Amino acid sequence: MADEPGKLTRRELIARGVRGAGLLCAAGGLGALVTRGQAENLVWQIDPKKCIACGKCATECVLNPSAVKCVHEHEICGYCELCFGYYVDQRLDDQETAENRRCPTDAIRRAPVEDPYYQYIIEEDKCIGCALCVEGCQQFGNGSLIMQVRHDRCLNCNQCAIASACPADAFRRVPASDPYLLRLKKQGNA
Amino acid sequence: MNSLPLLVTALLAAPRHLLAEEQFNFPPPEFSRPYVFPDTPTPAPRPEWLGVADVVVLAVALALAAYFGLRTRSRRHLVVLTGFSLLYFGFYKKGCVCAVGAVQNVAMALGPEQYALPLVVGLFFILPLVFALFWGRAFCSSVCPLGAVQELVLLRPLKVPVWLNSALALLPALYLGLGVLFAAAGSTFIICRYDPFVQVFRFGGGTLMVFIGIAVILLSVVVGRPYCRYACPYGFLLGLLSPFSREKVRITTGDCINCHLCADACPYGAIQPPTPAPQYLPRAAERKRLGLLIALLPVLVIVGGGLVRLASPLLARADYRVRLAAQVWQEEQGKLTDPTDETEAFAKRGVPTSDAYVAALQVHRRYATGSWFLGGWLGLVLGLRLVSGSVRRHRSIYQINQSACVVCGRCYHYCPLDRQRGLSLTDAPQEDQS
Ligand code: SF4
Ligand code: SF4
Ligand code: SF4
Ligand code: SF4
Ligand code: SF4
């Protein structure tokens, strides 16, 4: 480095200029980030209005089992005796047997409330996010079973692998303070 | 149908809910006894302050990396820090978010998409760059989890021929350009999708990427940091800044005696040998060539821009909206008989098909502009490469190419002068592997 002293100073001068400019940019960028209101973290979530229950949520997630699971919005549910999320619709006559259940992992628990209403509860540890129940409920029911990213599991990948594969473009980034896109927005859940 | 009576009773019951605009097949029942709806569990994401803690860990790790690389000059310390970063940023944080991917978040925030850059992500992007302005590529050295994987598996480094090395070293500029374009257009984050190491941190992922990951790791055993050198877009940015850093990495703390030992020690081709004795003869011809190349620069930028602009419709297919519009169009034309999942989802939304076309057109416009930038960028990088290749730089001793050096610390103990001086005696015995 020491062979051409004249050049050295010129180089050092340029370097100082670049450093100064770089610091200014960094400070400016940082200032913009801090002063802006929304600097909050974003997380992935599924818009249930767009989801077509294609089943990719179970297979595309980097986690196995997937970070996406079925969620039941009980307030919308019809509490039907013949839940299309619970039973396969073609075999309604012979309904009580296990083959007629939709859920491959038996993650939906059914309990009578009062005649003729039944309550359906998702046992999340069993759910693999296959969306079969969601498909049934979407087609024939109220659409109270929806797919949602479960944030206790999700790694919040910078690019969600399911979002890249979702045929319905149903994934989007939402603020971490309001991380679910339920169909029924509850009051005070803003 | 068994459900018919049920349906009738259901229809007769009065809707009780606030979802006025939504139609339900079965209105929620009127229970005779008071009924409390079971909770819909909504577990919260990782708390924000943990993200801030990550930034603190990043800053401390960067400071340590700079300290170990430039002050204590200890390879052993650097390796320990590398191991820590691999565990923390790799296996604990599962590789997200990292500075490499954050490039895209920044690009998307600057692009037309409605996207506000989260503070933590912004800091992950900025901090390593600021460090590079002062202490070189401290981030690559022992903080980046991707670099850490490659650094730790490198056993038998082969020398990559200089010409091949400098040709391949242009690939990161291309990858960076594409990553920024796709992110700024709001299409996708390719740098994250094709990150070869993230499946290691997560013990799983798509089959293709697991395969690529294994291949890159095997390659890293014999080729020093192939991803860092020939792909990493962030490393390219750091390499642009590190030559201007205030403190530079040195092979030796003394005067080089041109023994050549260090150049053999560097697995990343970052040590440049002395140039042949200076010749004073054909200076004029050289000047002329340099002048020509500099004049060529704007031409390269414009030609590059124009060429990539031609490929813009192709690039735009990376966007979901463009692919969807193409399928909807084909379906309308009767060329697509079975609806795809995409068109089915679109139909379910019940909006006019023109919506899909308008959205796609908008994306195409973004790509039309963006592809000029991408092409211009590629032309610029190529041109500057040619210019810097033809500038005669005289070196009388072995010198580190600051832009390429990832401050791994391997060369330090190869300098016989430093060994003699006992400066690194504490570490030297461990460092006999090549
Ligand atoms: S991939 Fe998309 S459409 Fe398929 S189940 Fe998941 S959210 Fe629904
Ligand atoms: S089909 Fe849907 S709305 Fe009907 S009972 Fe089942 S979950 Fe509830
Ligand atoms: S059917 Fe699939 S998505 Fe629904 S509860 Fe069972 S595993 Fe979960
Ligand atoms: S962000 Fe990652 S972990 Fe979360 S749902 Fe998507 S792929 Fe799965
Ligand atoms: S510190 Fe830099 S020059 Fe030395 S061996 Fe490592 S990469 Fe090469």
Side-chain angles (χ1 to χ4, degrees):
Chain A
M1 275 293 237
D3 19 335
E4 278 175 72
K7 213 170 186 172
L8 190 81
T9 34
R10 188 172 9 132
R11 223 183 252 175
E12 183 46 34
L13 226 82
I14 296 177
R16 277 198 194 148
V18 170
R19 278 206 294 278
L23 271 189
L24 268 180
C25 287
L30 211 70
L33 274 181
V34 173
T35 50
R36 194 180 33 122
Q38 206 264 330
E40 177 182 9
N41 217 6
L42 300 171
V43 294
W44 291 98
Q45 195 46 276
I46 296 169
D47 182 348
K49 293 199 189 81
K50 284 181 162 184
C51 170
I52 56 163
C54 73
K56 288 210 166 121
C57 273
T59 53
E60 299 290 329
C61 181
V62 295
L63 295 177
N64 186 20
S66 172
V68 173
K69 288 181 189 283
C70 169
V71 165
H72 199 180
E73 286 196 71
H74 296 277
E75 282 96 329
I76 311 177
C77 180
Y79 283 79
C80 330
E81 183 176 2
L82 291 175
C83 166
F84 301 102
Y86 188 71
Y87 288 120
V88 177
D89 33 289
Q90 289 92 357
R91 294 203 226 143
L92 292 177
D93 302 331
D94 175 26
Q95 43 167 287
E96 298 299 331
T97 52
E99 317 86 86
N100 292 326
R101 311 262 172 86
R102 254 180 207 273
C103 180
T105 60
D106 204 13
I108 306 180
R109 203 173 62 226
R110 178 185 208 240
V113 182
E114 61 178 55
D115 200 47
Y117 300 123
Y118 285 85
Q119 168 187 299
Y120 300 91
I121 293 206
I122 309 292
E123 285 179 27
E124 261 192 39
D125 344 329
K126 288 194 194 162
C127 173
I128 53 166
C130 71
L132 287 176
C133 61
V134 176
E135 188 186 21
C137 182
Q138 263 185 7
Q139 279 176 351
F140 308 106
N142 278 352
S144 61
L145 294 169
I146 58 172
M147 301 303 283
Q148 289 283 282
V149 175
R150 309 308 280 159
H151 292 297
D152 50 344
R153 298 179 46 76
C154 177
L155 304 175
N156 198 17
C157 314
N158 204 18
Q159 170 67 64
C160 169
I162 317 174
S164 301
C166 173
D169 195 24
F171 277 73
R172 65 167 188 257
R173 293 177 172 89
V174 299
S177 58
D178 188 13
Y180 289 89
L181 291 171
L182 302 180
R183 293 186 62 195
L184 187 74
K185 274 281 154 196
K186 289 196 197 96
Q187 257 83 32
N189 203 17
Chain B
M1 277 282 260
N2 279 3
S3 56
L4 198 61
L6 219 160
L7 195 76
V8 174
T9 36
L11 285 177
L12 288 176
R16 183 174 41 103
H17 266 286
L18 8 136
L19 287 152
E21 79 286 12
E22 297 214 44
Q23 281 294 307
F24 291 117
N25 291 339
F26 309 105
E30 301 261 303
F31 298 112
S32 55
R33 272 169 289 135
Y35 174 79
V36 185
F37 289 111
D39 250 354
T40 303
T42 49
R46 194 168 178 262
E48 184 96 34
W49 67 266
L50 273 176
V52 178
D54 292 337
V55 174
V56 174
V57 174
L58 174 74
V60 171
L62 282 169
L64 284 178
Y67 185 69
F68 294 155
L70 300 173
R71 288 289 152 75
T72 66
R73 294 169 53 79
S74 157
R75 161 105 179 128
R76 202 205 295 163
H77 291 165
L78 285 173
V79 169
V80 171
L81 184 59
T82 306
F84 166 78
S85 300
L86 182 67
L87 290 179
Y88 189 84
F89 296 110
F91 289 104
Y92 167 62
K93 289 280 297 157
K94 306 271 188 260
C96 262
V97 60
C98 75
V100 182
V103 176
Q104 304 161 111
N105 301 67
V106 173
M108 186 153 89
L110 296 175
E113 203 79 5
Q114 295 288 320
Y115 172 74
L117 186 69
L119 182 61
V120 168
V121 181
L123 286 170
F124 262 82
F125 175 73
I126 293 176
L127 273 179
L129 292 173
V130 170
F131 266 78
L133 281 175
F134 288 85
W135 303 286
R137 294 173 69 168
F139 178 71
C140 304
S141 156
S142 41
V143 182
C144 175
L146 312 185
V149 175
Q150 300 166 83
E151 180 72 47
L152 296 179
V153 300
L154 177 59
L155 291 176
R156 298 224 149 269
L158 300 174
K159 279 257 177 285
V160 180
V162 176
W163 61 269
L164 185 63
N165 187 46
S166 38
L168 291 176
L170 290 174
L171 288 177
L174 174 67
Y175 199 21
L176 174 65
L178 283 172
V180 166
L181 174 67
F182 289 139
S187 303
T188 182
F189 283 6
I190 52 165
I191 299 169
C192 295
R193 279 172 79 172
Y194 302 111
D195 178 339
F197 303 111
V198 83
Q199 2 302 321
V200 178
F201 305 144
R202 293 172 183 166
F203 302 110
T207 335
L208 173 73
M209 282 321 294
V210 167
F211 185 76
I212 292 178
I214 292 173
V216 176
I217 288 174
L218 287 181
L219 186 67
S220 313
V221 176
V222 290
V223 175
R225 296 202 187 207
Y227 183 80
C228 297
R229 286 200 284 168
Y230 310 132
C232 181
Y234 196 67
F236 187 82
L237 286 181
L238 292 169
L240 287 182
L241 296 183
S242 54
F244 303 104
S245 68
R246 205 175 75 176
E247 265 182 74
K248 304 220 161 45
V249 190
R250 286 158 306 156
I251 307 168
T252 166
T253 48
D255 292 324
C256 176
I257 51 166
N258 283 343
C259 68
H260 189 77
L261 289 175
C262 60
D264 287 339
C266 178
Y268 309 122
I271 296 183
Q272 298 164 318
T275 49
Q279 298 156 5
Y280 295 100
L281 280 171
R283 201 87 206 203
E286 216 166 70
R287 282 247 169 86
K288 202 167 152 202
R289 198 172 64 157
L290 188 63
L292 259 174
L293 278 176
I294 291 178
L296 194 68
L297 214 63
V299 181
L300 275 174
V301 169
I302 292 169
V303 170
L307 281 179
V308 177
R309 170 67 184 85
L310 290 179
S312 133
L314 210 71
L315 292 169
R317 291 197 62 90
D319 196 289
Y320 173 85
R321 291 158 285 193
V322 170
R323 290 195 304 266
L324 172 72
Q327 287 176 9
V328 170
W329 172 254
Q330 278 186 327
E331 207 172 86
E332 277 202 327
Q333 298 297 299
K335 282 184 202 138
L336 202 77
T337 37
D338 287 332
T340 60
D341 278 355
E342 282 83 356
T343 56
E344 196 183 300
F346 179 73
K348 190 191 150 210
R349 240 171 281 167
V351 292
T353 48
S354 58
D355 278 20
Y357 302 142
V358 170
L361 203 68
Q362 204 180 20
V363 175
H364 269 299
R365 283 210 201 96
R366 292 177 185 176
Y367 275 87
T369 322
S371 54
W372 273 108
F373 281 106
L374 174 62
W377 161 252
L378 294 179
L380 183 72
V381 170
L382 193 69
L384 287 179
R385 190 62 253 230
L386 291 176
V387 169
S388 77
S390 71
V391 174
R392 180 162 37 177
R393 279 211 197 84
H394 177 62
R395 281 186 304 270
S396 54
I397 53 168
Y398 280 87
Q399 268 177 15
I400 291 184
N401 173 355
Q402 296 290 329
S403 164
C405 170
V406 293
V407 204
C408 70
R410 278 193 172 81
C411 57
Y412 300 165
H413 310 303
Y414 276 82
C415 182
L417 291 175
D418 266 8
R419 281 202 173 189
Q420 234 168 33
R421 217 173 281 126
L423 271 177
S424 35
L425 270 182
T426 41
D427 305 307
Q430 271 76 24
E431 294 310 314
D432 281 343
Q433 26 118 318
S434 59

